């Protein structure tokens, strides 16, 4: 294993310290590293909190800031944060309008965030994301996995919260964005968890995992490596079959790298996916390309399609200033 680390037991702490130092104008790291919070809170605004296992950076801490999250709770690598982390984060960022938790549908995350909501002693609502169309159940989930579509929920709900939308309406919005969003990914190479010191699954040189999860958990099937157009055809085809957008619909197209995929390949996949969407009568009206919901050093890509309406476009275009997303500011 070749990693830029000092020791497997200090990876997260040292990374968080560096992250907080690099983005001190936007956020603060609490003294015991239980959560990252927005440096300047907006009084009377619903507080948005998310989190999950580390190793998916910039998700979630990279989306703390104006127009997105007020706090993010990092767990150890691929391990859910604990309920006390969310409770303390809620105490730190709730300015009186309540708290909305945005939770990826993994059993550990859902269980711990549910416990935190019960323990928080304040008004709390939750949105659970489950945008992955690859499998109905997997190693870590009951029901579909929450993957890169979580970023879209956080952005749109974050914009609405910044504009003063109340808690119940934000939950309804988050649930609606989740319903209009689907994702599917493929892995070309596995990732290596530092504490394990070895790849968490194996692929032959001519194999890929179609429908892989963001922890490297199995997808639909293991298949022979194929050209990019064929990969995009399967990913986008599965998404469109499940999402069933009407011809003439406008969508947001997110092409997301898993951590070790170069941008030249991601933009090639944008080209392929856009062409497939156009063939189905769908217009990609908004784009986001890059490594935004990763799996350590896994090589591969996920494609996310989210159906847009006028409100969704306005929320997506609204100003955002975080470590990982910045526009309109």
């Amino acid at each position: 294993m070749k990693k830029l680390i000092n020791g497997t037991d200090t990876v997260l702490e040292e990374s968080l310290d560096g992250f907080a130092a690099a983005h001190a104008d936007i956020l603060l790291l609490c003294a015991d590293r239980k959560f990252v919070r927005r440096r300047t809170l907006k009084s009377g605004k619903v507080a948005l909190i998310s989190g999950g296992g580390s190793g998916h950076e910039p998700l979630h801490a990279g989306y703390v800031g104006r127009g997105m999250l007020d706090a993010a709770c990092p767990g150890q690598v691929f391990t859910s944060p604990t309920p006390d982390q969310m409770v303390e984060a809620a105490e730190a960022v709730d300015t009186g309008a309540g708290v909305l938790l945005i939770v990826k549908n993994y059993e550990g995350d859902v269980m711990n965030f549910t416990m935190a909501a019960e323990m928080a002693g304040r008004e709390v609502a939750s949105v659970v994301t489950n945008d992955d169309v690859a499998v109905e159940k997997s190693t870590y989930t009951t029901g579909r996995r929450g993957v890169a579509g979580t970023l879209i929920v956080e952005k749109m709900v974050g914009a609405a919260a910044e504009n003063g939308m109340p808690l119940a309406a934000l939950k309804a919005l988050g649930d609606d964005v989740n319903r209009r969003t689907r994702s599917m990914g493929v892995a070309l190479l596995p990732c290596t968890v530092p504490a394990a010191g070895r790849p968490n699954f194996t692929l032959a040189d001519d194999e890929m995992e179609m429908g892989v999860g963001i922890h490297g958990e199995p997808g639909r099937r293991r298949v022979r490596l194929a050209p990019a157009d064929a990969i995009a055809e399967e990913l986008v085809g599965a998404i469109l079959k499940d999402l069933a957008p009407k011809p003439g619909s406008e969508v947001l197209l997110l092409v997301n790298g898993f951590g070790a995929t170069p941008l030249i390949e991601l933009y090639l996949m944008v080209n392929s996916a856009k062409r497939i969407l156009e063939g189905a009568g769908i217009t990609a009206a908004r784009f986001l390309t890059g490594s935004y919901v990763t799996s350590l050093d896994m090589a591969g890509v996920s494609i996310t399609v989210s159906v847009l309406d006028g409100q969704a476009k306005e929320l997506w275009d609204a100003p955002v200033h975080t470590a990982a997303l910045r526009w309109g500011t």
Side-chain angles (χ1 to χ4, degrees):
M1 179 181 71
K2 293 182 179 179
K3 298 267 186 195
L4 295 173
I5 62 175
N6 294 311
T8 57
D9 57 342
T10 60
V11 172
L12 177 57
E13 290 80 4
E14 292 178 76
S15 179
L16 285 170
D17 288 348
F19 174 75
H23 301 290
D25 60 320
I26 301 172
L27 49 84
L28 297 168
L29 178 63
C30 76
D32 50 7
R33 303 188 185 93
K34 286 185 176 180
F35 60 90
V36 173
R37 53 152 283 191
R38 182 171 167 174
R39 175 172 283 276
T40 304
L41 300 176
K42 186 174 182 179
S43 182
K45 169 190 169 300
V46 173
L48 268 58
I49 301 175
S50 192
S54 297
H56 305 303
E57 290 74 18
L59 196 77
H60 294 272
Y63 305 125
V64 171
R66 183 156 61 93
M68 286 192 77
L69 299 176
D70 293 280
C73 303
Q76 292 296 321
V77 174
F78 294 173
T79 303
S80 172
T82 57
D84 67 293
Q85 289 179 254
M86 296 83 140
V87 171
E88 292 187 28
E91 291 173 352
V93 299
D94 182 6
T95 62
V99 174
L100 181 67
L101 305 177
I102 300 176
V103 190
K104 300 187 303 301
N105 188 37
Y106 287 92
E107 288 177 348
D109 288 3
V110 172
M111 178 180 68
N112 287 350
F113 273 89
T114 299
M115 290 177 61
E118 295 169 352
M119 296 164 54
R122 64 193 68 243
E123 189 177 11
V124 178
S126 298
V127 172
V128 177
T129 62
N130 60 351
D131 51 299
D132 191 352
V133 303
V135 292
E136 288 295 331
K137 296 179 71 173
S138 73
T139 311
Y140 299 93
T141 65
T142 299
R144 291 181 169 178
R145 302 176 292 215
V147 289
T150 307
L151 157 63
I152 297 172
V153 173
E154 291 177 354
K155 171 63 182 78
M156 292 186 182
V157 174
E162 203 73 36
N163 291 334
M165 185 178 283
L167 181 59
L170 286 172
K171 173 177 168 47
L173 172 66
D175 288 339
D176 182 56
V177 175
N178 178 64
R179 281 192 296 268
R180 291 187 283 109
T181 303
R182 301 288 191 278
S183 303
M184 186 168 163
V186 61
L188 307 181
L189 292 172
C191 61
T192 299
V193 176
R198 62 183 182 277
N200 62 349
F201 62 100
T202 58
L203 286 171
D205 290 343
D206 63 346
E207 288 182 327
M208 58 185 180
E209 183 74 28
M210 188 62 70
V212 70
I214 57 173
H215 307 93
E217 64 268 41
R220 291 186 171 188
R221 65 190 188 283
R222 191 158 293 185
V223 298
R224 289 290 180 91
L225 187 65
D229 280 347
I231 295 172
E233 187 73 50
E234 177 152 357
L235 298 180
V236 177
I239 289 169
L240 293 181
K241 181 178 179 181
D242 194 275
L243 186 57
K246 296 178 181 178
S249 295
E250 291 186 325
V251 301
L252 164 65
L253 174 62
L254 166 59
V255 174
N256 172 68
F258 282 142
T261 311
L263 273 170
I264 191 171
E265 296 177 25
L266 296 181
Y267 281 115
L268 188 153
M269 291 296 291
V270 171
N271 186 55
S272 297
K274 176 177 178 291
R275 186 168 58 248
I276 295 163
L277 290 171
E278 289 172 346
I282 308 299
T283 299
R286 298 292 187 274
F287 295 84
L288 185 64
T289 308
S291 294
Y292 292 103
V293 180
T294 65
S295 183
L296 291 170
D297 55 348
M298 188 160 71
V301 65
S302 66
I303 292 176
T304 301
V305 174
S306 184
V307 177
L308 297 172
D309 56 17
Q311 180 191 39
K313 284 193 284 188
E314 288 182 6
L315 293 172
W316 183 257
D317 293 343
V320 61
H321 189 79
T322 69
L325 289 183
R326 300 187 191 191
W327 60 71
T329 57

